Amino acid sequence: MSLAFDDYGRPYIILRDQGQKKRMKGLEAYKSNILAAKAVANTLSSSLGPKGMDKMLVSPDGDVSVTNDGATIVEKMEIQHPTAKLLVELSQSQDAEIGDGTTGVVVLAGKLLEQALTLLDKGIHPLKISDGFDRACDVAIKHLETISEEIDIQANEHEALIQAACTALGSKVVSKRKRELGKIAVTAVLDVADLARRDVNLDLIKIQTKTGGSVEDTRLISGILIDKDMSHPQMPKEVKDAKICLLTCPFEPPKPKTKHNINISSADDYKKLYLQEQQYFVDMVKLVKNSGANIALCQWGFDDEANHLLLQNELPAVRWVSGTDVELIAMATGARIIPRFQEITPEKLGKAGCVKEVQFGTSNERMLVIENCQCTKAVTILIRGGSQMIVDEAKRSIHDAICVIRNLIKDNRIVYGGGSAELACAIQVLQYADEVSSVEQYAIRSFADALEGIPCCLADNCGLNPITSVAQAKALQLKENNPRIGIDCMELGTIDMKEQKIYETLSSKKQQIQLATQVVKMILKIDDVIAPDDY
């Protein structure tokens, strides 16, 4: 794009390839951006809540995913519109920071954009709408902190953490087993948590999937599980008091970096070459054995010759261990990753109580378990399921539950779910709007209407009448001054979310409202779009 002037000094803009581009300005640009972002939000709105529907996504390669995780849906939708892509980033930032609430944040942004469109049609300036939304967001955040409650995460065998995990798992495919999976997630997090510092290193929780069996067979393993077996079937299946040598160099003769040729003119020459190669292998195995190691884990492969020598020297070995597994084993066992055989020393070996090979089902599939690691208590959650789709969705669900538990350990304040927190904030924002005399009060009221859109969406997805349900909950909240009244999605006979034990972390709810408001403000500031003609 460049600026030019005509004969009379009037400026005009020249666009590169302007015949193939179109330009939208002003109200047309606002509406185009809002409608594009709304289309994404409307797609996700039916996936909100415990009875939200799943989406089937088929990739260009033909891979099928079935999920109701907001971040996964928008990531795999292959969205082209640049404004709609902002909602993809919104969901991903919620997932990266909090881990849960990815659907809710996009739905809330969609409701806010819906209200913004109505205000634009009334002739209110976009910046006034942005300012109003910003002020309303501050009021909502402050009110969330007022109505939040602190919970004792240690009481009653960590029951509060299990209930929070159950709330996160309640809307997933695995909801029938939410209690069992919630307990597994809580145990895993507490095993690696530093409660004194209120910190959890999620790198020490490995989630390993294996098709076969059912979701009920999912279990927690105190140690590291890697999807490998011993390199030779005759090697011992269990190594006690393991001294682990972690190698990132292959068990093979060195190769010159430059191009080379070896001329073999006789059988003696060939025999010399063979013996030289053999000697390389013998030296490598000897260096590992001399360090005191009784098991070698190698990131690369090794051929049958090396495998046979390792067996003869009674040195169990595992090949093709992935880079992430190598790093996790190094962290847990205190091992140093060794890039060259000449650098192997006893100080660089990792220590573990036991390394053993386990077999699953009737198939010949085996895995290695490293237990009682020296440095940290790393754990692995082994997820089983009837198909790859079920296993993948269970993995995403357990990741969400783990993130919720981590957030509660960091900050043990909660707000109640079922749309109760949004309704309480909407009531507070409406009261604040009456005190504002400027044009922003319209935007503040619209913000409250957008917050009410979340419980409406929940009720709609559960087959309830959204208008009746929300009106009833709102009236009761005002009458009893009780911010815990929400939507009875599971039809348990009570609309008090405290009795239903439905709650989520305060940090998650605050982040949802703040991120959604920020993205909507960003979209409302775009007033000029120059894009390809097929845009």
Side-chain angles (χ1 to χ4, degrees):
M1 188 168 77
S2 57
L3 186 68
F5 296 89
D6 63 10
D7 296 340
Y8 299 99
R10 290 175 299 202
Y12 60 93
I13 291 171
I14 300 171
L15 302 177
R16 190 188 296 276
D17 303 326
Q18 63 182 8
Q20 298 159 22
K21 292 190 177 181
K22 69 173 182 178
R23 184 177 181 190
M24 286 181 289
K25 294 170 72 176
L27 197 59
E28 187 191 358
Y30 293 128
K31 286 189 174 180
S32 166
N33 291 333
I34 288 171
L35 290 171
K38 253 180 69 183
V40 176
N42 290 344
T43 306
L44 257 69
S45 62
S46 62
S47 295
L48 187 70
K51 294 189 179 176
M53 307 302 275
D54 290 354
K55 301 282 184 276
M56 180 181 277
L57 301 142
V58 184
S59 74
D61 301 333
D63 295 333
V64 179
S65 302
V66 177
T67 181
N68 73 350
D69 179 61
T72 309
I73 294 169
V74 292
E75 185 187 337
K76 295 192 175 183
M77 272 170 69
E78 295 183 12
I79 293 163
Q80 300 299 322
H81 197 289
T83 311
K85 280 181 182 174
L86 288 173
L87 289 196
V88 179
E89 290 170 15
L90 165 70
S91 188
Q92 286 171 346
S93 60
Q94 174 77 12
D95 194 35
E97 186 67 25
I98 301 294
D100 190 33
T102 50
T103 309
V105 72
V106 175
V107 173
L108 179 57
K111 298 290 179 191
L112 284 169
L113 288 168
E114 216 170 277
Q115 295 296 328
L117 197 58
T118 311
L119 294 170
L120 285 169
D121 286 337
K122 283 182 180 176
I124 298 172
H125 194 278
L127 287 181
K128 293 287 183 189
I129 300 170
S130 293
D131 290 344
F133 281 178
D134 215 15
R135 288 166 72 173
C137 176
D138 290 342
V139 172
I141 296 299
K142 281 176 188 166
H143 190 60
L144 277 177
E145 290 180 350
T146 309
I147 64 172
S148 66
E149 291 181 16
E150 281 196 16
I151 54 166
D152 185 0
I153 59 172
Q154 302 285 0
N156 200 10
E157 294 184 353
H158 310 289
E159 182 61 30
L161 293 179
I162 295 169
Q163 285 296 339
C166 288
T167 303
L169 293 167
S171 62
K172 310 292 183 186
V173 171
V174 294
S175 58
K176 289 277 183 261
R177 293 277 163 236
K178 63 182 179 183
R179 180 85 191 171
E180 293 89 332
L181 294 177
K183 281 183 177 176
I184 287 172
V186 169
T187 310
V189 173
L190 290 173
D191 279 353
V192 301
D194 183 348
L195 293 175
R197 287 174 52 227
R198 289 197 160 203
D199 188 36
V200 181
N201 184 0
L202 292 186
D203 290 339
L204 295 173
I205 302 174
K206 186 184 177 193
I207 302 177
Q208 180 73 47
T209 58
K210 194 79 174 170
T211 49
S214 62
V215 176
E216 289 86 345
D217 299 329
T218 298
R219 58 196 175 103
L220 180 69
I221 294 163
S222 294
I224 300 167
L225 187 76
I226 54 175
D227 195 2
K228 301 290 169 193
D229 55 0
M230 296 295 183
S231 61
H232 198 288
Q234 290 177 302
M235 283 177 178
K237 305 299 180 196
E238 187 171 354
V239 179
K240 295 274 179 74
D241 293 324
K243 293 181 180 66
I244 301 165
C245 181
L246 268 184
L247 297 166
T248 54
C249 45
F251 265 100
E252 58 183 36
K255 291 175 184 162
K257 293 261 167 72
T258 53
K259 287 185 179 179
H260 62 286
N261 290 313
I262 299 173
N263 294 320
I264 299 169
S265 53
S266 65
D268 287 341
D269 287 349
Y270 186 83
K271 201 172 280 185
K272 280 179 189 172
L273 179 66
Y274 171 71
L275 289 170
Q276 181 61 44
E277 274 200 349
Q278 282 282 88
Q279 193 57 44
Y280 277 128
F281 288 131
V282 170
D283 291 345
M284 287 171 183
V285 175
K286 195 174 177 183
L287 284 166
V288 176
K289 284 288 281 186
N290 288 349
S291 69
N294 54 10
I295 183 166
L297 272 63
C298 185
Q299 191 176 352
W300 300 97
F302 35 84
D303 58 19
D304 294 340
E305 193 72 52
N307 210 4
H308 178 67
L309 272 170
L310 286 163
L311 177 67
Q312 277 188 329
N313 284 275
E314 296 177 352
L315 182 65
V318 183
R319 54 186 162 188
W320 299 119
V321 180
S322 72
T324 50
D325 284 342
V326 165
E327 287 172 11
L328 186 60
I329 293 163
M331 271 198 297
T333 61
R336 294 278 294 278
I337 298 170
I338 302 165
R340 281 185 291 275
F341 282 95
Q342 290 75 18
E343 293 181 16
I344 300 174
T345 59
E347 297 79 41
K348 292 182 180 178
L349 302 180
K351 293 180 178 64
C354 175
V355 177
K356 63 181 178 183
E357 193 177 275
V358 289
Q359 187 170 341
F360 293 99
T362 54
S363 61
N364 201 26
E365 292 182 350
R366 296 183 176 88
M367 284 183 167
L368 274 182
V369 183
I370 303 168
E371 294 177 329
N372 303 325
C373 301
Q374 177 195 26
C375 286
T376 53
K377 193 173 179 190
V379 294
T380 305
I381 298 172
L382 175 65
I383 298 172
R384 307 300 306 279
S387 68
Q388 192 60 44
M389 279 189 296
I390 294 282
V391 165
D392 288 343
E393 182 63 0
K395 182 178 180 179
R396 285 189 284 267
S397 306
I398 287 178
H399 172 263
D400 283 3
I402 286 171
C403 289
V404 166
I405 297 157
R406 177 200 62 182
N407 295 337
L408 266 180
I409 288 172
K410 285 187 170 182
D411 181 359
N412 62 340
R413 291 178 295 171
I414 53 127
V415 290
Y416 289 92
S420 61
E422 285 87 352
L423 269 179
C425 288
I427 291 165
Q428 187 66 25
V429 168
L430 277 173
Q431 287 173 1
Y432 171 70
D434 294 334
E435 300 167 15
V436 178
S437 58
S438 58
V439 180
E440 279 93 340
Q441 68 164 288
Y442 289 98
I444 294 168
R445 284 202 175 90
S446 294
F447 191 93
D449 292 341
L451 284 172
E452 283 181 22
I454 298 290
C456 275
C457 196
L458 277 173
D460 197 20
N461 289 348
C462 297
L464 304 170
N465 185 324
I467 297 168
T468 310
S469 303
V470 173
Q472 181 191 2
K474 193 175 176 183
L476 265 173
Q477 275 210 22
L478 285 164
K479 183 182 174 184
E480 298 177 10
N481 195 22
N482 181 359
R484 301 187 299 271
I485 302 290
I487 308 297
D488 181 17
C489 296
M490 304 306 289
E491 297 179 27
L492 298 176
T494 173
I495 56 174
D496 191 325
M497 294 298 117
K498 191 169 187 176
E499 290 174 26
Q500 287 203 20
K501 295 181 180 174
I502 303 293
Y503 52 79
E504 54 188 308
T505 58
L506 172 66
S507 54
S508 172
K509 191 60 74 182
K510 277 169 66 176
Q511 187 87 357
Q512 279 184 44
I513 294 174
Q514 285 170 332
L515 285 179
T517 309
Q518 284 168 16
V519 166
V520 170
K521 280 172 63 185
M522 191 187 299
I523 291 170
L524 286 172
K525 283 198 169 184
I526 301 166
D527 76 329
D528 201 342
V529 179
I530 300 164
D533 205 23
D534 57 352
Y535 167 77

